[in-house]
Amino acid sequence: MATKRSYNDACGTGHALDLVGERWALLVVRELLLGPKRYGQLRTDLPGISTNVLAQRLAELEASGIVRKHRLPAPAAAEAYELTDWGLELEPVVRALGRWAVRSPAHDRTAHLSATSFVLSLRTNFDPGRAQGARGRYELHLGDEVFHVLIADGALHAGRGYQQQPEAVITARPSALARVVYGGRQLADAVAAGDVRVEGDSTSIAHLSAVLSLPAPAAPASETPV
């Protein structure tokens, strides 16, 4: 059992919450979906979590078989945490939950956004119906992390690492790039303000925005049919 508390519910949903329902647990999982991270990286990417809570959540997730310790290769040669194969199966759950939640009128788009969150949002909000004939190769430098994004054959691939022959190399804070890609901010304005830097074909970023779509906001409770 991941925690000392349990819903004592035979339903799989109840047991899932026993496993990943504690505060911060699912966000720890989110941060590991794109690969291993050291303890310090997790603290940086989850700025609201305390050291004690992070240590506790990692221990609980490890005891449940969702997370395991991982030794990074040289030159890092440091201990990190990664998801097990079973833990990685949570990605569609995390993505579906995130896409559902952004419809909330209370969703604060100005709050902290990690690099992993932004890249996962590309996977989540990619719309194949908008991608027919679209192609693009991007390299994203988000803080200390580098990601590759490829749009081809009606699909979007995004993950850690460098992109071969990128059309554009984009350097920005995740929140700044999100405002351009999702929030309607003009790229030229973000570049002029120093919030985004682009090397290569800056016009290709419009192709990235064009294949993404956010769900419609949920209707306020007062408008819900009786």
Side-chain angles (χ1 to χ4, degrees):
M1 192 66 63
T3 67
K4 293 181 180 179
R5 293 179 292 180
S6 172
Y7 288 101
N8 293 314
D9 192 315
C11 172
T13 302
H15 187 56
L17 292 174
D18 285 342
L19 295 169
V20 295
E22 287 292 312
R23 184 168 171 80
W24 293 105
L26 205 54
L27 295 190
V28 171
V29 169
R30 181 198 70 195
E31 289 303 314
L32 297 176
L33 282 172
L34 298 182
K37 286 189 177 184
R38 297 190 298 273
Y39 185 91
Q41 290 175 303
L42 289 168
R43 281 281 289 117
T44 298
D45 293 332
L46 297 168
I49 197 171
S50 70
T51 298
N52 289 342
V53 171
L54 176 57
Q56 184 179 4
R57 294 296 169 264
L58 286 169
E60 292 165 354
L61 291 167
E62 188 177 3
S64 298
I66 297 169
V67 166
R68 64 189 166 208
K69 289 187 176 69
H70 173 79
R71 190 73 180 176
L72 294 173
E79 188 176 81
Y81 294 89
E82 68 177 0
L83 293 173
T84 62
D85 290 344
W86 184 47
L88 285 168
E89 292 177 18
L90 282 165
E91 179 174 348
V93 177
V94 172
R95 287 166 52 185
L97 189 62
R99 189 165 169 87
W100 171 79
V102 297
R103 300 183 62 208
S104 166
H107 178 228
D108 182 4
R109 288 179 168 79
T110 67
H112 170 76
L113 183 71
S114 73
T116 295
S117 296
F118 176 77
V119 176
L120 284 173
S121 82
L122 300 181
R123 294 185 181 185
T124 300
N125 297 310
F126 173 70
D127 186 344
R130 297 186 174 195
Q132 299 305 313
R135 301 189 67 84
R137 297 186 307 277
Y138 310 91
E139 188 173 287
L140 309 183
H141 292 241
L142 306 176
D144 296 330
E145 301 180 76
V146 179
F147 301 88
H148 59 269
V149 179
L150 172 66
I151 302 170
D153 302 321
L156 181 145
H157 306 275
R160 293 188 183 281
Y162 294 88
Q163 174 67 60
Q164 292 185 350
Q165 299 180 324
E167 296 167 21
V169 177
I170 306 164
T171 302
R173 297 186 316 278
S175 57
L177 190 53
R179 284 194 288 274
V180 172
V181 172
Y182 295 116
R185 186 183 187 190
Q186 293 299 310
L187 176 63
D189 293 341
V191 170
D195 295 331
V196 177
R197 186 170 76 248
V198 181
E199 301 172 51
D201 182 7
S202 61
T203 63
S204 68
I205 298 178
H207 301 157
L208 177 59
S209 297
V211 300
L212 304 172
S213 64
L214 290 174
S222 60
E223 298 179 14
T224 303
V226 177

